[in-house]
C-alpha cells in the first residue's frame, strides 16, 4: 500500500507540474438537460496536496446553475501536455479568497469586483486525474516506436500516460 501511495504522490506531483503554468482550464459541467457543456476558466489556484483547484465566477451564469444541479465536473488542460481531472465542484462564498483571487484581469473579465455578492468561487475536488505527456518530443517518439514494434499493447507500461485516484 505504501508503494501505491508513493506512486500516487509522484503522479500528483507530475500533474501539478504539468498544469502549474497553464492558466486556463476547460471546465465541463452537465446542463439541466443532460448535455456536456465546456467553457474556458482561468485557474486561480491549484492545491492538489489539499485536493483543491479553485476558480472564480458569477452566480448569473449557466455553469453556476449546472453545478448547483449536478456538481460532477471535468477540467481539461492542454499545453505542452494534456491533463484531465474529474471531480466534484462546490460553490463557495469566502471573502478572503475572493479578495486574494480578484485582480484587474478578473475584474475586467467578470465586469465586477470582489465585494459583488454575485461573485462566487468554484472549488473542484479531484477524484480521478490522467495526464499524457507530449512536450518531450524525443521521449514521445521513442516511446511510440517502442510500443508499435512491441508485442504489448500501447497502454501497457506507457511512461507517457498515468492515472491517479485521489480516493480509494
Amino acid at each position: 500500500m505504501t508503494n501505491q501511495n508513493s506512486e500516487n504522490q509522484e503522479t500528483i506531483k507530475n500533474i501539478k507540474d504539468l498544469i502549474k503554468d497553464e492558466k486556463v482550464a476547460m471546465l465541463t459541467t452537465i446542463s439541466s438537460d443532460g448535455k456536456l457543456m465546456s467553457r474556458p476558466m482561468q485557474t486561480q489556484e491549484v492545491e492538489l496536496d489539499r485536493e483543491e483547484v479553485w476558480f472564480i465566477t458569477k452566480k448569473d451564469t449557466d455553469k453556476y446553475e449546472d453545478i448547483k444541479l449536478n456538481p460532477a465536473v471535468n477540467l481539461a488542460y492542454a499545453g505542452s501536455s494534456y491533463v484531465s481531472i474529474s471531480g466534484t465542484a462546490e460553490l463557495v462564498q469566502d471573502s478572503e479568497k475572493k479578495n486574494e483571487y480578484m485582480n484587474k484581469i478578473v475584474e475586467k473579465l467578470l465586469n465586477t469586483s470582489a465585494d459583488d455578492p454575485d461573485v462566487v468561487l468554484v472549488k473542484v475536488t479531484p477524484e480521478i486525474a490522467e495526464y499524457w505527456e507530449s512536450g518531450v518530443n524525443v521521449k514521445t517518439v521513442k516511446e511510440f516506436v517502442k510500443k508499435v514494434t512491441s508485442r504489448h499493447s500501447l497502454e501497457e507500461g506507457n511512461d507517457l500516460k498515468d492515472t491517479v485516484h485521489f480516493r480509494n
Side-chain angles (χ1 to χ4, degrees):
M1 188 66 153
T2 303
N3 192 23
Q4 180 68 33
N5 268 349
S6 63
E7 284 179 25
N8 268 0
Q9 291 305 317
E10 183 64 28
T11 302
I12 289 170
K13 181 188 176 313
N14 287 344
I15 290 169
K16 190 172 183 178
D17 288 346
L18 289 172
I19 66 175
K20 71 179 180 201
D21 295 326
E22 300 301 327
K23 300 298 182 209
V24 177
M26 290 300 289
L27 170 68
T28 302
T29 58
I30 302 170
S31 68
S32 60
D33 59 355
K35 298 209 177 357
L36 296 174
M37 303 300 294
S38 299
R39 73 278 290 160
M41 296 284 292
Q42 182 175 354
T43 305
Q44 300 302 317
E45 185 175 14
V46 176
E47 284 299 331
L48 293 182
D49 307 346
R50 293 194 320 250
E51 299 181 5
E52 299 174 351
V53 183
W54 289 88
F55 302 91
I56 191 168
T57 191
K58 293 173 81 172
K59 292 179 184 177
D60 65 350
T61 62
D62 289 337
K63 69 182 146 298
Y64 177 84
E65 295 301 324
D66 292 351
I67 291 168
K68 275 182 25 181
L69 288 173
N70 186 341
V73 298
N74 191 79
L75 304 174
Y77 291 89
S80 60
S81 296
Y82 304 96
V83 176
S84 175
I85 301 171
S86 298
T88 304
E90 179 183 345
L91 300 165
V92 177
Q93 287 292 350
D94 181 327
S95 299
E96 192 175 306
K97 276 199 179 296
K98 282 200 273 186
N99 284 322
E100 178 186 338
Y101 297 154
M102 191 62 72
N103 59 47
K104 294 213 180 292
I105 295 170
V106 175
E107 285 179 1
K108 194 79 163 166
L109 286 171
L110 297 179
N111 195 29
T112 192
S113 63
D115 57 348
D116 181 344
D118 192 41
V119 172
V120 65
L121 300 171
V122 178
K123 177 176 85 170
V124 175
T125 302
E127 292 166 11
I128 299 173
E130 287 190 296
Y131 73 89
W132 299 264
E133 287 188 69
S134 64
V136 191
N137 291 333
V138 172
K139 183 177 179 184
T140 304
V141 170
K142 283 173 64 176
E143 186 69 22
F144 183 73
V145 169
K146 184 169 78 175
K147 293 298 177 188
V148 169
T149 59
S150 169
R151 293 178 299 147
H152 303 289
S153 77
L154 289 175
E155 292 297 312
E156 282 182 63
N158 188 343
D159 293 335
L160 303 174
K161 171 189 174 290
D162 207 347
T163 302
V164 63
H165 295 264
F166 284 83
R167 292 186 178 78
N168 295 332

